[in-house]
Amino acid sequence: MSVQSAARRLTAPDIRARKGGEPIVSLTSYHAHTARLIDPHVDFMLVGDSLGMVMHGMETTVPVTVEMMILQGQAVMRGSSRALVVVDLPFGSYEGSPQQAFATASRVLKETGAGAIKLEGGRRMAETVRFLADRGVPVMGHVGLTPQAINTLGSFKALGRDEASAALILDDARSIADAGAFAIVLEAISEPLARQITAEVAPPTIGIGGSSACDGQILVLEDMLGLSDRVPRFVKKFAEIGPAIGAAVEAYASEVRARSFPAAEHVYAPKKV
Ligand code: KIV
């Protein structure tokens, strides 16, 4: 008889139920090994389309494809067993119509096994969020700075810092909350606005540059580990892994050049007969 020991993965409804409760912890992950490391500590991990910039050195997230998201989503699912995995729908794969969004989202969920998708946009995406939520696709929204819109925004600067812009973002958040988003990422917006949205909308808000007023927080893993060259103001570096990697590689290179690596303990002796 087999023993059932696998812990149940957290689900979108579990995250939705955390509104106003213990803060929700999340990070991005694009690989099986980082997923394995963060799985015990986070409530959900996001396979963000930031992977285009972080992993592939792209200037923006615009060129990221559905195939890239599926490949990394599969890796993150293999590396994790406890946290909810959310996969970003990339630019151009969902904005055309609710039907296009459903086709992409259902493919992503089927081919990765992830528990939810994320898409960017407020009022303009509300009909799509409702269409997906009504058809069994848990949708995480994303308002404020939406990096996929870089070509219309013109820069990655913070938004909602004046009354007119704050009113638009509040309306964006309300629209997708009413449409059925189970959580909403608030990126790079002013603190009072994040506080107001968090107080007004039913789903939990997840801040990235939204202040501690939000119901939870997310950061790009490589940014908070000190692996990224330039990071926005809202990033705190919890470690400086970049210089540690440089030092390890320098030590390796000098030992290889001095023939002191590999040493006797790294070498296979012939079998004794
Ligand atoms: O792509 C991403 O990593 C994101 C987070 C910054 C929220 O959308």
Side-chain angles (χ1 to χ4, degrees):
M1 198 173 80
S2 69
V3 178
Q4 295 272 336
S5 62
R8 189 179 74 89
R9 248 185 214 278
L10 289 168
T11 63
D14 292 329
I15 300 298
R16 171 70 184 78
R18 296 271 295 274
K19 176 74 184 180
E22 189 193 359
I24 297 161
V25 180
S26 59
L27 284 168
T28 60
S29 173
Y30 319 129
H31 324 94
H33 65 267
T34 55
R36 199 168 296 121
L37 288 169
I38 71 173
D39 193 40
H41 307 290
V42 299
D43 299 307
F44 76 86
M45 52 187 94
L46 173 70
V47 186
D49 62 352
S50 53
L51 64 79
M53 299 170 76
V54 176
M55 279 180 72
H56 296 279
M58 293 169 174
E59 285 289 313
T60 71
T61 56
V62 171
V64 173
T65 64
V66 176
E67 286 68 29
M68 289 163 77
M69 298 309 302
I70 289 176
L71 195 62
Q72 302 319 133
Q74 290 167 338
V76 168
M77 285 297 292
R78 282 185 215 112
S80 61
S81 59
R82 196 195 131 269
L84 170 68
V85 174
V86 182
V87 180
D88 257 342
L89 300 191
F91 178 70
S93 73
Y94 64 95
E95 304 91 329
S97 65
Q99 289 75 10
Q100 182 204 20
F102 184 75
T104 307
S106 56
R107 182 176 166 210
V108 166
L109 294 184
K110 277 174 193 276
E111 293 186 28
T112 63
I117 60 91
K118 178 167 82 57
L119 53 77
E120 295 183 8
R123 281 150 297 158
R124 66 183 172 86
M125 293 313 302
E127 184 193 349
T128 295
V129 171
R130 189 177 304 282
F131 191 87
L132 297 182
D134 285 350
R135 286 162 180 75
V137 178
V139 181
M140 179 174 287
H142 183 156
V143 303
L145 175 62
T146 48
Q148 292 178 9
I150 183 64
N151 289 319
T152 46
L153 291 172
S155 77
F156 290 116
K157 67 177 190 308
L159 297 170
R161 300 179 82 180
D162 60 74
E163 257 180 47
S165 148
L168 290 175
I169 296 170
L170 176 60
D171 192 35
D172 277 340
R174 283 184 184 138
S175 306
I176 55 169
D178 293 347
F182 75 90
I184 304 177
V185 170
L186 304 181
E187 180 163 354
I189 61 171
S190 71
E191 195 272 346
L193 175 60
R195 187 174 295 282
Q196 184 181 5
I197 293 173
T198 302
E200 286 196 21
V201 300
T205 57
I206 311 296
I208 174 161
S211 86
S212 62
C214 297
D215 295 297
Q217 300 294 325
I218 187 164
L219 284 175
V220 170
L221 179 67
E222 284 75 358
D223 289 352
M224 60 84 85
L225 289 180
L227 282 166
S228 308
D229 288 344
R230 283 180 26 239
V231 294
R233 174 193 165 88
F234 56 72
V235 173
K236 174 174 174 181
K237 292 189 182 180
F238 286 81
E240 283 288 358
I241 304 294
I245 292 178
V249 174
E250 196 181 344
Y252 166 74
S254 76
E255 289 193 23
V256 169
R257 289 188 183 113
R259 294 193 188 280
S260 59
F261 174 83
E265 66 267 32
H266 307 119
V267 173
Y268 296 99
K271 266 192 182 149
K272 290 191 180 104
V273 281

